[in-house]
Amino acid sequence: MRKRSTIAIALLALTASVGASRSAGLQDFAEIERGRYLANAADCASCHTVPGSNQPFAGGRPIETPFGNLVSPNITPDRDTGIGTWTDEEFDAAVRAGRQRGGARLYPAMPFPYYSRMSREDVKAIRAYLSTVPPVHNAVMSDALPFPFNLRSSMIVWDRLYFKPGEFHPDPSKSAEWNRGAYLVEGPAHCGACHTPKTLLGGDKKSDALRGYTLQGWVAPDITSGQGPLGNWSVDDIAEYLKTGHNKYAAAAGLMAEVVQLSTSNMTDEDVRAMAVYLKDIQGAASPGPGSVDQNVLTAGGAIFQDLCAACHRQDGQGIPNLFPRLSDAATVATPDPTTVLRVILQGTPTVATDREPTGPGMPAFGWQLDDEQVAAVATYVRNHFAHAPAVTAEQVHRMRATLAKTE
Ligand code: HEC
Ligand code: HEC
Ligand code: HEC
């Protein structure tokens, strides 16, 4: 009798502990999944993986900054060359406070000023997920910036000027959806890292948040709303672009194609929509207007457009939905800075691939066929005729060719 009850108690204890460890297991799994989702929204893989390699997070990708190139570190759980022996506190300090192990400052090429908006639990979940990826032995040499930026201590000044640490706080006067979108855009998804104008020292101009910036030879256009170029887009148009890489107004090329492919196309429809709702609510700046344009240049440009471009983009610039982007009122065409338009005309674009749209169409290059005057003329025509944007000079085309030659 006594024996049986002991066994019963022992059994009870056993099932209780099995139950506990199973629910701990489920909890871990949920945390890892949440971490995987956040790492994806934060696009950690894009910088910390060499494109085309099958060693995610192993580092070694050169990251262009206004001051020179850095190389991304290995953040796999490898114990010698990765972050396998880091504590959760050290990891949190790197991601949210921009500190290396040991306390030295990271360069803001690692977007910690944005990641600082995440909670401690968010970052712990990312860590939990990263602990599950295959460890890769890859010793990365970083630190290639020229003086004085090679001194990590010079970042103390930078941090003081531009880094406001602190988690995201929801705005109670806005909807839950708006707040979710604000959290994603300002936090993990770090949209402003490319879309917000920078000071000479590479800090965000907070007052111009998301109003457009040129980096690595690409224009990341103004993505505020109101009078801004996205003013015409509906919430659904923005969501569709983030989910698939295109909509009836535009198709994502270059850096944004990568953001869509690696990050936003894998986010839930609810999250993508929440970001769109938030962006729609940010008021934009007025556009600068066309200025004066030489009528002969417009005529020449119009003739080239008719010959070489209208087959795809149509004569009225409306394009063909989801195939050839509409040029009229497109943000890339309307921005004061013509960099993207010139780049696309000179170099063409690669095809975009996302999970949903494996083979988006690309655009052929015209740089070999047209000289600087002709490219300037057709770019001026497109910008003036379809978007009331300022003219482009042959000199600008010449400089753009030189920039592109350097990056090839
Ligand atoms: C835009 C590019 C970029 C993105 C996106 C990015 N990182 Fe980084 N990360 C870097 C660079 C560059 C460094 C090195 C900076 C330096 O040398 O000061 C770095 C450094 C780090 C470090 C410090 C490693 C060490 O050995 O000192 C950690 C940890 C880290 N990143 C984790 C992450 C995580 C987690 C994410 C996603 C939440 C992420 N990074 C997203 C570019 C990026
Ligand atoms: C790595 C830099 C980078 C990041 C990060 C980035 N973008 Fe972009 N984005 C660009 C560039 C460059 C373009 C222009 C693409 C083109 O010319 O096709 C662009 C284009 C866009 C456009 C289309 C504008 C138009 O009218 O054509 C939208 C909308 C947009 N981005 C939203 C976002 C949002 C939302 C985020 C954050 C989730 C984000 N971007 C993050 C670089 C970036
Ligand atoms: C064979 C079809 C085709 C022809 C011809 C063509 N394009 Fe394109 N164009 C495209 C496609 C497809 C894209 C979108 C590519 C992408 O984003 O990956 C595009 C994108 C663009 C963009 C960027 C639009 C945006 O919102 O990002 C501009 C500007 C542009 N084309 C101008 C021109 C000009 C000027 C010509 C003539 C010199 C021309 N195109 C000829 C197919 C074409």
Side-chain angles (χ1 to χ4, degrees):
M1 185 65 201
R2 209 164 156 235
K3 205 164 177 195
R4 266 181 73 184
S5 71
T6 323
I7 291 173
I9 290 167
L11 267 179
L12 205 73
L14 191 70
T15 43
S17 77
V18 167
S21 80
R22 156 132 23 99
S23 76
L26 285 177
Q27 212 171 1
D28 289 350
F29 180 74
E31 185 181 35
I32 291 167
E33 266 312 288
R34 204 166 79 82
R36 190 188 59 75
Y37 188 82
L38 281 166
N40 174 79
D43 216 356
C44 312
S46 88
C47 294
H48 286 279
T49 308
V50 172
S53 84
N54 54 359
Q55 302 190 318
F57 306 108
R61 179 172 191 178
I63 306 293
E64 229 178 89
T65 80
F67 313 112
N69 280 0
L70 282 171
V71 181
S72 62
N74 179 347
I75 55 168
T76 69
D78 184 60
R79 298 180 70 84
D80 297 327
T81 62
I83 58 168
T85 61
W86 288 37
T87 64
D88 284 351
E89 275 63 40
E90 287 167 336
F91 183 76
D92 189 70
V95 176
R96 292 200 304 159
R99 296 307 182 99
Q100 278 181 324
R101 198 183 202 185
R105 284 165 205 260
L106 289 172
Y107 295 107
M110 159 75 186
F112 64 85
Y114 291 89
Y115 296 155
S116 187
R117 304 288 167 263
M118 292 194 278
S119 70
R120 196 180 177 77
E121 289 67 46
D122 289 344
V123 174
K124 209 167 138 273
I126 294 177
R127 174 81 204 270
Y129 161 67
L130 285 177
S131 305
T132 68
V133 308
V136 177
H137 191 90
N138 181 30
V140 173
M141 287 289 294
S142 59
D143 261 14
L145 295 189
F147 181 82
F149 301 108
N150 58 343
L151 303 176
R152 288 190 179 270
S153 53
S154 64
M155 287 296 126
I156 294 177
V157 178
W158 194 96
D159 281 4
R160 210 168 280 152
L161 287 171
Y162 304 116
F163 177 36
K164 299 261 176 309
E167 282 179 38
F168 174 76
H169 292 293
D171 177 344
S173 72
K174 304 282 188 183
S175 69
E177 189 177 41
W178 185 99
N179 275 301
R180 174 70 181 168
Y183 162 79
L184 289 166
V185 167
E186 305 298 338
H190 64 280
C191 312
C194 297
H195 286 278
T196 294
K198 305 284 181 271
T199 66
L200 277 178
L201 284 175
D204 280 358
K205 284 190 190 156
K206 290 267 152 59
S207 56
D208 285 341
L210 301 175
R211 288 196 182 163
Y213 177 59
T214 303
L215 73 167
Q216 299 169 32
W218 290 95
V219 175
D222 185 338
I223 53 168
T224 63
S225 230
Q227 308 106 307
L230 254 59
N232 293 335
W233 296 25
S234 67
V235 165
D236 287 340
D237 291 331
I238 301 176
E240 185 183 2
Y241 178 92
L242 294 175
K243 194 75 197 182
T244 66
H246 53 73
N247 61 20
K248 62 177 184 280
Y249 295 104
L255 296 173
M256 192 62 199
E258 192 182 291
V259 171
V260 172
Q261 189 168 350
L262 295 176
S263 179
T264 58
S265 69
N266 302 315
M267 290 164 84
T268 62
D269 291 352
E270 290 74 27
D271 276 353
V272 162
R273 204 183 151 80
M275 292 196 290
V277 164
Y278 173 65
L279 290 178
K280 253 332 252 188
D281 196 45
I282 308 176
Q283 293 304 300
S287 72
S292 69
V293 177
D294 183 337
Q295 203 53 46
N296 295 328
V297 172
L298 276 185
T299 310
I304 297 171
F305 186 83
Q306 187 63 31
D307 261 13
L308 299 179
C309 322
C312 296
H313 295 288
R314 319 310 295 173
Q315 194 159 358
D316 58 4
Q318 294 294 313
I320 298 176
N322 298 331
L323 205 52
F324 302 120
R326 155 171 171 169
L327 299 181
S328 61
D329 295 322
T332 34
V333 176
T335 50
D337 182 329
T339 303
T340 301
V341 170
L342 293 183
R343 180 184 196 123
V344 168
I345 296 173
L346 291 170
Q347 268 196 328
T349 66
T351 54
V352 189
T354 65
D355 284 355
R356 293 200 172 176
E357 303 283 336
T359 49
M363 169 165 147
F366 292 96
W368 59 276
Q369 191 179 353
L370 301 174
D371 65 21
D372 292 350
E373 302 277 344
Q374 290 167 322
V375 172
V378 72
T380 296
Y381 172 81
V382 164
R383 283 161 60 77
N384 181 278
H385 195 68
F386 298 129
H388 305 289
V392 180
T393 64
E395 173 58 27
Q396 281 173 302
V397 179
H398 185 75
R399 269 185 274 134
M400 190 65 201
R401 280 194 206 267
T403 309
L404 292 176
K406 259 193 289 171
T407 56
E408 259 160 13

